[in-house]
Amino acid sequence: MYAFCQDMPGATLEQQEILNRHIPADALEGCLVHVVGPYDGGVRMVDVWADEESYRRFQREVLWPALDRAMSELAVVDAGAPAPFSVLEVTGSAMGAAVSA
């Protein structure tokens, strides 16, 4: 599995929703968990993917083109690169998907 947590200082949930409108519902193949929520001063995102290649494919084929399309509607926020980490434990309903991945 491949996972990362990204803080986006200055971003809003409204901006996240604008981006989401540019991402097809079926585009998250290989994504086990996608969690987004506010924190003081920004938005935090945590993703867990079946493997890094699934995420990189989504990034190249879906996310970057969606960001290009949404840029006219978004204020630019430099959040830096996400910090990946190895998943050591998964609990909850995604556990079955993680074991079979």
Side-chain angles (χ1 to χ4, degrees):
M1 282 186 286
Y2 177 79
F4 62 88
C5 177
Q6 182 170 7
D7 286 345
M8 296 171 275
T12 66
L13 292 175
E14 291 77 17
Q15 290 169 320
Q16 181 70 30
E17 180 54 37
I18 290 168
L19 177 60
N20 286 345
R21 288 196 298 260
H22 293 273
I23 297 176
D26 62 350
L28 293 174
E29 182 178 334
C31 182
L32 304 176
V33 178
H34 173 74
V35 179
V36 175
Y39 73 92
D40 190 26
V43 174
R44 178 170 292 144
M45 178 184 67
V46 178
D47 271 7
V48 178
W49 288 79
D51 52 49
E52 185 174 358
E53 179 52 36
S54 294
Y55 171 69
R56 297 296 176 197
R57 184 175 37 256
F58 168 78
Q59 186 181 49
R60 283 187 315 271
E61 298 174 9
V62 178
L63 181 59
W64 288 341
L67 282 167
D68 286 343
R69 290 188 302 274
M71 285 309 291
S72 65
E73 302 172 64
L74 297 172
V76 176
V77 174
D78 181 8
F85 59 93
S86 296
V87 176
L88 302 177
E89 180 180 344
V90 175
T91 58
S93 63
M95 192 166 100
V99 171
S100 64

